[in-house]
């Protein structure tokens, strides 16, 4: 059984299947979802998730027969946009051809090499990078959507697996990924676990047998970053969360 096969390997991480959960996987015939979840020392679970999706395809243009894509925000091509609030929403399918485009109800996106300390110096003690040195967040909102395209093309695509590394999840069930089919119906909302140590990481990833995920809504805690906004663990009113690696299976043209 898929669930138990990995149980011995996850250590402190928790992994569970929720295919029979009518709340998180609605629909007449709920698709079988496998959820990977970890906090603190998340490395082993992230490695497992990568391995299940397949070998890295980097920024290779065009749909590949298998494998995964991964955005770590740290590449040289992104440097000109570091620490600004206008990171291009289509950067990861134009400059770098990784099949990802973003939208946000906020005002922009920020690829940050200072742990967002240029927005608020206190943030340097809240956030950490999983892969050095950059982390990422929307600006003016704590939410954004990732949609998928065939790498290097404006062709809508779907994936079978999607996962995110978060930094500084303080509140339960507020930092989530909600997955959607191409018709806009939800495939469920999955929570990142609360960090198990100060400044620690959280990971949540979901896979399906088939490529049915067309869009992901990523919600980071309960508030947007701001010069006068403190994290809930530093006396503030909201849970501020940023993200690092986005990991997803090869975007496939909708067939
Ligand atoms: Ca990074
Ligand atoms: Ca915190
Ligand atoms: Ca926080």
């Amino acid at each position: 059984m898929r669930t138990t096969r990995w149980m011995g390997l996850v250590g402190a991480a928790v992994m569970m299947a929720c295919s029979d959960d009518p709340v998180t996987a609605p629909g007449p015939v709920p698709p079988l979802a496998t959820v990977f979840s970890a906090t603190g020392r998340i490395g082993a679970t992230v490695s497992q998730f990568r391995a299940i999706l397949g070998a890295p395809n980097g920024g290779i243009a065009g749909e590949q027969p298998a494998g995964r894509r991964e955005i770590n925000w740290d590449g040289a091509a992104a440097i000109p946009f570091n620490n600004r609030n206008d990171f291009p929403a289509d950067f990861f399918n134009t400059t770098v051809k990784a099949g990802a485009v973003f939208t946000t109800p906020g005002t922009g996106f920020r690829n940050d090499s200072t742990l967002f300390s240029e927005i608020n110096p206190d943030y340097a003690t809240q956030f950490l990078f999983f892969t050095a040195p950059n982390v990422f967040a929307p600006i003016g909102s704590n939410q954004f959507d990732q949609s998928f395209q065939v790498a290097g093309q404006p062709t809508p695509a779907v994936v079978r697996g999607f996962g995110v590394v978060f930094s500084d999840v303080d509140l339960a069930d507020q930092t989530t990924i909600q997955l959607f089919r191409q018709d806009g119906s939800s495939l469920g909302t999955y929570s990142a676990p609360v960090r198990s140590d100060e400044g620690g990481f959280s990971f949540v990833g979901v896979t399906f047998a088939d490529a049915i995920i067309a869009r992901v809504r990523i919600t980071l805690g309960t508030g947007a970053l701001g010069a006068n906004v403190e994290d809930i663990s530093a006396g503030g009113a909201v849970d501020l969360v940023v993200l690092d690696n986005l990991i997803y299976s090869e975007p496939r043209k909708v067939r």
Side-chain angles (χ1 to χ4, degrees):
M1 185 175 157
R2 185 196 318 231
T3 306
T4 53
R5 188 174 61 186
W6 294 97
M7 273 303 185
L9 302 175
V10 296
V14 176
M15 182 185 127
M16 57 186 176
C18 62
S19 58
D20 56 350
D21 185 340
V23 174
T24 57
V29 182
L32 192 70
T34 301
V35 180
F36 297 76
S37 175
T39 181
R41 297 170 65 179
I42 65 170
T45 301
V46 172
S47 293
Q48 288 165 16
F49 190 75
R50 287 170 173 147
I52 282 170
L53 298 186
N57 293 329
I60 302 172
E63 181 179 317
Q64 304 303 304
R68 73 173 194 271
R69 304 279 178 161
E70 180 162 353
I71 295 173
N72 62 22
W73 315 106
D74 308 318
I79 290 175
F81 298 102
N82 279 1
N83 310 323
R84 296 163 43 165
N85 292 343
D86 61 351
F87 189 87
D90 63 354
F91 180 92
F92 282 103
N93 209 33
T94 53
T95 304
V96 173
K97 295 166 178 58
V101 289
F102 306 118
T103 58
T104 178
T107 56
F109 299 100
R110 186 176 176 108
N111 198 47
D112 202 292
S113 65
T114 72
L115 303 175
F116 296 100
S117 62
E118 292 180 359
I119 291 180
N120 181 330
D122 294 343
Y123 292 170
T125 58
Q126 295 298 322
F127 305 130
L128 280 177
F129 50 75
F130 182 66
T131 47
N134 287 359
V135 288
F136 187 79
I139 295 299
S141 173
N142 66 323
Q143 195 171 73
F144 71 101
D145 285 9
Q146 178 173 341
S147 296
F148 304 98
Q149 297 179 340
V150 174
Q153 302 170 18
T155 307
V158 286
V159 302
R160 73 176 185 89
F162 183 87
V164 188
V165 173
F166 296 100
S167 172
D168 204 49
V169 175
D170 289 287
L171 299 179
D173 298 325
Q174 301 297 319
T175 294
T176 60
I177 57 173
Q178 184 176 14
L179 314 177
F180 297 91
R181 295 183 178 89
Q182 197 188 29
D183 67 5
S185 62
S186 178
L187 289 160
T189 299
Y190 305 86
S191 297
V194 171
R195 61 182 173 80
S196 61
D197 52 15
E198 186 64 35
F201 301 111
S202 303
F203 177 78
V204 63
V206 179
T207 61
F208 296 96
D210 300 313
I212 54 175
I213 306 167
R215 179 169 59 92
V216 182
R217 174 154 295 173
I218 299 165
T219 302
L220 300 145
T222 60
L225 305 179
N228 301 308
V229 182
E230 300 299 331
D231 187 56
I232 195 167
S233 69
V238 294
D239 181 16
L240 301 174
V241 176
V242 301
L243 71 144
D244 202 342
N245 298 44
L246 294 171
I247 305 165
Y248 48 98
S249 65
E250 178 67 16
R252 312 289 301 274
K253 182 179 177 180
V254 179
R255 292 176 169 84

